[in-house]
mmCIF file of all heavy atoms in Angstrom:
data_model
loop_
_atom_site.group_PDB
_atom_site.id
_atom_site.type_symbol
_atom_site.label_atom_id
_atom_site.label_comp_id
_atom_site.label_asym_id
_atom_site.label_seq_id
_atom_site.Cartn_x
_atom_site.Cartn_y
_atom_site.Cartn_z
ATOM 1 N N MET A 55 -72.687 60.795 -64.501
ATOM 2 C CA MET A 55 -71.658 61.526 -63.770
ATOM 3 C C MET A 55 -70.822 62.346 -64.756
ATOM 4 O O MET A 55 -70.352 61.827 -65.757
ATOM 5 C CB MET A 55 -70.768 60.548 -63.005
ATOM 6 C CG MET A 55 -69.808 61.225 -62.055
ATOM 7 S SD MET A 55 -68.827 60.014 -61.164
ATOM 8 C CE MET A 55 -70.078 59.216 -60.207
ATOM 9 N N PRO A 56 -70.602 63.623 -64.511
ATOM 10 C CA PRO A 56 -69.812 64.445 -65.430
ATOM 11 C C PRO A 56 -68.358 63.979 -65.499
ATOM 12 O O PRO A 56 -67.834 63.419 -64.541
ATOM 13 C CB PRO A 56 -69.898 65.855 -64.837
ATOM 14 C CG PRO A 56 -70.674 65.763 -63.597
ATOM 15 C CD PRO A 56 -71.133 64.376 -63.402
ATOM 16 N N ALA A 57 -67.725 64.254 -66.612
ATOM 17 C CA ALA A 57 -66.352 63.801 -66.840
ATOM 18 C C ALA A 57 -65.370 64.444 -65.867
ATOM 19 O O ALA A 57 -64.390 63.834 -65.472
ATOM 20 C CB ALA A 57 -65.937 64.110 -68.268
ATOM 21 N N GLN A 58 -65.587 65.695 -65.460
ATOM 22 C CA GLN A 58 -64.654 66.344 -64.560
ATOM 23 C C GLN A 58 -64.794 65.862 -63.118
ATOM 24 O O GLN A 58 -63.977 66.178 -62.280
ATOM 25 C CB GLN A 58 -64.772 67.869 -64.617
ATOM 26 C CG GLN A 58 -66.071 68.429 -64.103
ATOM 27 C CD GLN A 58 -67.101 68.621 -65.185
ATOM 28 O OE1 GLN A 58 -67.008 68.032 -66.252
ATOM 29 N NE2 GLN A 58 -68.090 69.444 -64.933
ATOM 30 N N ALA A 59 -65.795 65.125 -62.797
ATOM 31 C CA ALA A 59 -66.011 64.648 -61.439
ATOM 32 C C ALA A 59 -65.581 63.184 -61.300
ATOM 33 O O ALA A 59 -66.240 62.406 -60.657
ATOM 34 C CB ALA A 59 -67.471 64.820 -61.050
ATOM 35 N N GLN A 60 -64.498 62.815 -61.940
ATOM 36 C CA GLN A 60 -64.004 61.458 -61.849
ATOM 37 C C GLN A 60 -63.596 61.150 -60.414
ATOM 38 O O GLN A 60 -62.977 61.959 -59.745
ATOM 39 C CB GLN A 60 -62.791 61.276 -62.750
ATOM 40 C CG GLN A 60 -63.107 61.308 -64.210
ATOM 41 C CD GLN A 60 -61.847 61.160 -65.030
ATOM 42 O OE1 GLN A 60 -60.748 61.218 -64.519
ATOM 43 N NE2 GLN A 60 -62.021 60.969 -66.316
ATOM 44 N N LEU A 61 -63.941 59.981 -59.972
ATOM 45 C CA LEU A 61 -63.575 59.589 -58.620
ATOM 46 C C LEU A 61 -62.121 59.129 -58.536
ATOM 47 O O LEU A 61 -61.440 59.403 -57.575
ATOM 48 C CB LEU A 61 -64.496 58.472 -58.135
ATOM 49 C CG LEU A 61 -65.957 58.839 -57.959
ATOM 50 C CD1 LEU A 61 -66.769 57.624 -57.546
ATOM 51 C CD2 LEU A 61 -66.112 59.932 -56.936
ATOM 52 N N LEU A 62 -61.641 58.428 -59.549
ATOM 53 C CA LEU A 62 -60.294 57.871 -59.547
ATOM 54 C C LEU A 62 -59.476 58.470 -60.684
ATOM 55 O O LEU A 62 -59.898 58.440 -61.838
ATOM 56 C CB LEU A 62 -60.366 56.343 -59.691
ATOM 57 C CG LEU A 62 -59.056 55.588 -59.757
ATOM 58 C CD1 LEU A 62 -58.261 55.765 -58.476
ATOM 59 C CD2 LEU A 62 -59.316 54.121 -60.026
ATOM 60 N N LYS A 63 -58.305 59.005 -60.336
ATOM 61 C CA LYS A 63 -57.400 59.573 -61.338
ATOM 62 C C LYS A 63 -56.015 58.975 -61.143
ATOM 63 O O LYS A 63 -55.585 58.731 -60.023
ATOM 64 C CB LYS A 63 -57.307 61.090 -61.177
ATOM 65 C CG LYS A 63 -58.594 61.816 -61.466
ATOM 66 C CD LYS A 63 -58.403 63.309 -61.298
ATOM 67 C CE LYS A 63 -59.687 64.049 -61.551
ATOM 68 N NZ LYS A 63 -59.538 65.490 -61.355
ATOM 69 N N PHE A 64 -55.322 58.753 -62.249
ATOM 70 C CA PHE A 64 -53.957 58.258 -62.228
ATOM 71 C C PHE A 64 -53.047 59.330 -62.782
ATOM 72 O O PHE A 64 -53.464 60.159 -63.580
ATOM 73 C CB PHE A 64 -53.823 56.983 -63.076
ATOM 74 C CG PHE A 64 -54.589 55.825 -62.516
ATOM 75 C CD1 PHE A 64 -55.854 55.514 -62.999
ATOM 76 C CD2 PHE A 64 -54.058 55.059 -61.499
ATOM 77 C CE1 PHE A 64 -56.568 54.449 -62.489
ATOM 78 C CE2 PHE A 64 -54.764 53.990 -60.974
ATOM 79 C CZ PHE A 64 -56.018 53.688 -61.472
ATOM 80 N N GLY A 65 -51.786 59.301 -62.380
ATOM 81 C CA GLY A 65 -50.847 60.292 -62.873
ATOM 82 C C GLY A 65 -49.412 59.940 -62.526
ATOM 83 O O GLY A 65 -49.105 58.832 -62.084
ATOM 84 N N VAL A 66 -48.541 60.910 -62.725
ATOM 85 C CA VAL A 66 -47.124 60.785 -62.392
ATOM 86 C C VAL A 66 -46.751 61.929 -61.455
ATOM 87 O O VAL A 66 -47.313 63.016 -61.533
ATOM 88 C CB VAL A 66 -46.222 60.800 -63.646
ATOM 89 C CG1 VAL A 66 -46.432 59.564 -64.479
ATOM 90 C CG2 VAL A 66 -46.462 62.037 -64.478
ATOM 91 N N LYS A 67 -45.791 61.630 -60.580
ATOM 92 C CA LYS A 67 -45.378 62.601 -59.570
ATOM 93 C C LYS A 67 -43.865 62.595 -59.485
ATOM 94 O O LYS A 67 -43.233 61.552 -59.592
ATOM 95 C CB LYS A 67 -45.983 62.206 -58.224
ATOM 96 C CG LYS A 67 -45.708 63.149 -57.091
ATOM 97 C CD LYS A 67 -46.450 62.665 -55.836
ATOM 98 C CE LYS A 67 -46.380 63.671 -54.733
ATOM 99 N NZ LYS A 67 -47.176 63.255 -53.564
ATOM 100 N N GLY A 68 -43.285 63.760 -59.300
ATOM 101 C CA GLY A 68 -41.841 63.870 -59.153
ATOM 102 C C GLY A 68 -41.486 65.127 -58.397
ATOM 103 O O GLY A 68 -42.315 66.026 -58.227
ATOM 104 N N GLY A 69 -40.244 65.180 -57.929
ATOM 105 C CA GLY A 69 -39.833 66.375 -57.217
ATOM 106 C C GLY A 69 -38.479 66.245 -56.569
ATOM 107 O O GLY A 69 -37.668 65.386 -56.914
ATOM 108 N N VAL A 70 -38.247 67.126 -55.590
ATOM 109 C CA VAL A 70 -36.957 67.264 -54.926
ATOM 110 C C VAL A 70 -37.092 66.910 -53.450
ATOM 111 O O VAL A 70 -38.030 67.347 -52.793
ATOM 112 C CB VAL A 70 -36.441 68.716 -55.075
ATOM 113 C CG1 VAL A 70 -35.138 68.918 -54.343
ATOM 114 C CG2 VAL A 70 -36.293 69.085 -56.534
ATOM 115 N N ASN A 71 -36.150 66.114 -52.937
ATOM 116 C CA ASN A 71 -36.040 65.813 -51.513
ATOM 117 C C ASN A 71 -34.981 66.722 -50.901
ATOM 118 O O ASN A 71 -33.851 66.774 -51.392
ATOM 119 C CB ASN A 71 -35.590 64.359 -51.278
ATOM 120 C CG ASN A 71 -36.673 63.361 -51.527
ATOM 121 O OD1 ASN A 71 -37.830 63.615 -51.265
ATOM 122 N ND2 ASN A 71 -36.297 62.198 -52.026
ATOM 123 N N LEU A 72 -35.315 67.422 -49.848
ATOM 124 C CA LEU A 72 -34.357 68.236 -49.102
ATOM 125 C C LEU A 72 -34.237 67.601 -47.716
ATOM 126 O O LEU A 72 -35.104 67.778 -46.865
ATOM 127 C CB LEU A 72 -34.843 69.679 -49.003
ATOM 128 C CG LEU A 72 -35.162 70.345 -50.343
ATOM 129 C CD1 LEU A 72 -35.915 71.634 -50.142
ATOM 130 C CD2 LEU A 72 -33.897 70.571 -51.126
ATOM 131 N N SER A 73 -33.162 66.834 -47.504
ATOM 132 C CA SER A 73 -33.016 66.017 -46.298
ATOM 133 C C SER A 73 -32.083 66.665 -45.290
ATOM 134 O O SER A 73 -31.128 67.347 -45.645
ATOM 135 C CB SER A 73 -32.441 64.646 -46.654
ATOM 136 O OG SER A 73 -33.276 63.985 -47.555
ATOM 137 N N LYS A 74 -32.356 66.374 -44.018
ATOM 138 C CA LYS A 74 -31.504 66.824 -42.928
ATOM 139 C C LYS A 74 -31.274 65.638 -42.002
ATOM 140 O O LYS A 74 -32.216 65.096 -41.450
ATOM 141 C CB LYS A 74 -32.150 67.971 -42.172
ATOM 142 C CG LYS A 74 -31.294 68.543 -41.086
ATOM 143 C CD LYS A 74 -31.954 69.762 -40.471
ATOM 144 C CE LYS A 74 -30.984 70.466 -39.556
ATOM 145 N NZ LYS A 74 -31.559 71.700 -39.031
ATOM 146 N N LEU A 75 -30.026 65.232 -41.861
ATOM 147 C CA LEU A 75 -29.655 64.096 -41.039
ATOM 148 C C LEU A 75 -28.742 64.580 -39.917
ATOM 149 O O LEU A 75 -27.772 65.281 -40.162
ATOM 150 C CB LEU A 75 -28.917 63.053 -41.884
ATOM 151 C CG LEU A 75 -28.450 61.804 -41.169
ATOM 152 C CD1 LEU A 75 -29.638 60.901 -40.880
ATOM 153 C CD2 LEU A 75 -27.440 61.068 -42.003
ATOM 154 N N LYS A 76 -29.083 64.222 -38.690
ATOM 155 C CA LYS A 76 -28.246 64.554 -37.535
ATOM 156 C C LYS A 76 -27.673 63.266 -36.976
ATOM 157 O O LYS A 76 -28.402 62.345 -36.643
ATOM 158 C CB LYS A 76 -29.070 65.245 -36.451
ATOM 159 C CG LYS A 76 -29.516 66.631 -36.799
ATOM 160 C CD LYS A 76 -30.251 67.243 -35.630
ATOM 161 C CE LYS A 76 -30.755 68.614 -35.979
ATOM 162 N NZ LYS A 76 -31.507 69.221 -34.873
ATOM 163 N N LEU A 77 -26.344 63.210 -36.873
ATOM 164 C CA LEU A 77 -25.678 62.023 -36.338
ATOM 165 C C LEU A 77 -24.476 62.464 -35.506
ATOM 166 O O LEU A 77 -23.530 63.039 -36.042
ATOM 167 C CB LEU A 77 -25.226 61.102 -37.468
ATOM 168 C CG LEU A 77 -24.482 59.839 -37.092
ATOM 169 C CD1 LEU A 77 -25.370 58.911 -36.278
ATOM 170 C CD2 LEU A 77 -23.999 59.120 -38.337
ATOM 171 N N GLU A 78 -24.505 62.229 -34.215
ATOM 172 C CA GLU A 78 -23.396 62.476 -33.290
ATOM 173 C C GLU A 78 -22.789 63.872 -33.469
ATOM 174 O O GLU A 78 -21.611 64.041 -33.748
ATOM 175 C CB GLU A 78 -22.321 61.399 -33.488
ATOM 176 C CG GLU A 78 -21.305 61.320 -32.400
ATOM 177 C CD GLU A 78 -20.275 60.248 -32.705
ATOM 178 O OE1 GLU A 78 -20.648 59.197 -33.233
ATOM 179 O OE2 GLU A 78 -19.105 60.491 -32.430
ATOM 180 N N GLY A 79 -23.632 64.882 -33.372
ATOM 181 C CA GLY A 79 -23.150 66.254 -33.485
ATOM 182 C C GLY A 79 -22.922 66.713 -34.915
ATOM 183 O O GLY A 79 -22.622 67.871 -35.165
#
Side-chain angles (χ1 to χ4, degrees):
M55 189 179 294
Q58 67 267 19
Q60 290 178 350
L61 295 177
L62 178 62
K63 294 181 181 178
F64 294 97
V66 292
K67 183 177 189 176
V70 177
N71 285 325
L72 305 167
S73 301
K74 184 175 190 176
L75 180 74
K76 290 183 182 178
L77 178 64
E78 195 181 322

